[in-house]
Amino acid sequence: MVELKEEALTQIYSALADPTRRAILLRLQHQEARVTELAAPFAMSLNAVSKHVRVLEGAGLVRREVRGREHFLALEPAPLEAASAWLETYRQFWSQRLDRLETFLRDKRAEKKSPRRK
Amino acid sequence: MVELKEEALTQIYSALADPTRRAILLRLQHQEARVTELAAPFAMSLNAVSKHVRVLEGAGLVRREVRGREHFLALEPAPLEAASAWLETYRQFWSQRLDRLETFLRDKRAEKKSPRRK
DNA sequence: TCATTATTCAACCATATGGTTGAATTAAAA
DNA sequence: TTTTAATTCAACCATATGGTTGAATAATGA
């Protein structure tokens, strides 16, 4: 099972918290790309995108391969799955909630049969 | 299907990006709690925790119910599922990647049988 | 060799974030 | 009614973040 240190989770979620970075990740889903290519669609400087890429890299979400003067970025999906797994734990909440509801209703029925005084 | 506006995703992931807030969410998984109760385990002021709670509330991850002077916080799991769903899209990446690899290998085999000149 | 291209580095700036303390508000308890 | 308790509001502070511009570095192409 995938487990991440708090530190890593913080980095990953911080990385995902920016719309530009999410867009970059979506872009990389199709194909790897160079920094300049990644920057093209955005109304911001190449430098800004370069920084975003570094954040994604720092979070381990993206891998960089330098070929000559070009840097190719590719998605690194493993940590995203880990982050996703963390979120998944919340799904348990629903079943727990339903369990509690059921218990509540059962107690309620029992109470009706042999009521304790208020 | 759960779909979220960019804005909402930003709020959710920003909320998740802080370890204190993640701890609060985990705590609320067991049971609802008041602000003071939530604050107890942390080495920071009640005010700080109060702020964190407000962030979680703003992201829609937590619901507040005021009873008298006490504020009870409870998990609101729906948006977490949505955020999780967003992450899930990345799983597609693996299959795509494998598809491409397969295509590559198939082309390679075909190329061997009837090579095009370089 | 020289100009161009791809990228990062460095300094800077405005705003956001995560924390503090102290006062205000409101409800409960004595 | 007076005190105590649960919470937020407001002001403040240090640091982080997301952006800018300009210069540096290094590889490619002419």
Side-chain angles (χ1 to χ4, degrees), chain B:
Chain B
M1 222 259 272
V2 236
E3 188 161 332
L4 291 179
K5 296 192 294 287
E6 281 297 297
E7 172 69 22
L9 275 177
T10 297
Q11 279 189 258
I12 291 174
Y13 285 124
S14 300
L16 294 175
D18 184 276
T20 302
R21 288 194 290 264
R22 287 197 302 273
I24 290 176
L25 289 176
L26 286 173
R27 165 64 215 278
L28 289 178
Q29 225 186 339
H30 308 306
Q31 201 174 7
E32 65 171 24
R34 295 174 304 130
V35 178
T36 314
E37 288 164 0
L38 288 178
F42 297 107
M44 70 180 67
S45 73
L46 177 65
N47 266 358
V49 173
S50 174
K51 279 189 181 185
H52 281 304
V53 168
R54 204 143 34 103
V55 172
L56 290 168
E57 217 186 344
L61 299 180
V62 140
R63 178 174 31 81
R64 179 192 305 255
E65 194 191 324
V66 180
R67 300 180 208 147
R69 65 182 165 180
E70 298 167 308
H71 297 204
F72 286 86
L73 286 317
L75 209 57
E76 192 67 74
L80 280 170
E81 298 219 20
S84 180
W86 189 87
L87 278 178
E88 283 302 306
T89 68
Y90 283 94
R91 304 218 169 170
Q92 296 170 19
F93 173 74
W94 276 113
S95 49
Q96 283 184 23
R97 191 190 227 185
L98 292 174
D99 286 353
R100 279 206 299 280
L101 176 62
E102 197 182 6
T103 305
F104 173 74
L105 292 175
R106 182 160 20 78
D107 291 358
K108 199 104 179 182
R109 278 195 300 274
E111 202 176 326
K112 210 163 190 177
K113 283 189 171 174
S114 59
R116 303 182 204 102
R117 84 205 132 77
K118 171 114 121 299

Side-chain angles (χ1 to χ4, degrees), chain A residues 2 4-5 7-33 38 51-65 72-85 87, chain B residues 13 17 83 86-91 93-94 97:
Chain A
V2 233
L4 291 179
K5 295 191 297 286
E7 173 69 22
L9 275 178
T10 297
Q11 279 189 260
I12 291 175
Y13 285 125
S14 300
L16 294 175
D18 184 276
T20 301
R21 288 194 290 263
R22 287 197 301 275
I24 290 175
L25 289 177
L26 286 173
R27 165 64 215 279
L28 288 179
Q29 223 185 341
H30 307 307
Q31 201 173 8
E32 65 170 23
L38 287 178
K51 278 189 182 184
H52 281 304
V53 168
R54 204 144 32 105
V55 171
L56 290 168
E57 218 186 344
L61 300 179
V62 141
R63 178 173 30 81
R64 180 191 305 256
E65 193 191 326
F72 287 86
L73 286 316
L75 209 56
E76 192 67 74
L80 280 170
E81 298 218 21
S84 181
L87 278 178
Chain B
Y13 285 124
W86 189 87
L87 278 178
E88 283 302 306
T89 68
Y90 283 94
R91 304 218 169 170
F93 173 74
W94 276 113
R97 191 190 227 185

Side-chain angles (χ1 to χ4, degrees), chain A residues 29-99:
Chain A
Q29 223 185 341
H30 307 307
Q31 201 173 8
E32 65 170 23
R34 295 173 305 131
V35 178
T36 314
E37 288 163 358
L38 287 178
F42 297 106
M44 69 180 67
S45 73
L46 176 67
N47 266 359
V49 173
S50 174
K51 278 189 182 184
H52 281 304
V53 168
R54 204 144 32 105
V55 171
L56 290 168
E57 218 186 344
L61 300 179
V62 141
R63 178 173 30 81
R64 180 191 305 256
E65 193 191 326
V66 180
R67 301 180 208 146
R69 65 181 165 181
E70 296 166 310
H71 298 204
F72 287 86
L73 286 316
L75 209 56
E76 192 67 74
L80 280 170
E81 298 218 21
S84 181
W86 190 87
L87 278 178
E88 284 301 306
T89 68
Y90 284 95
R91 304 218 168 169
Q92 296 171 19
F93 173 75
W94 277 114
S95 48
Q96 283 184 22
R97 192 190 227 184
L98 291 174
D99 287 352

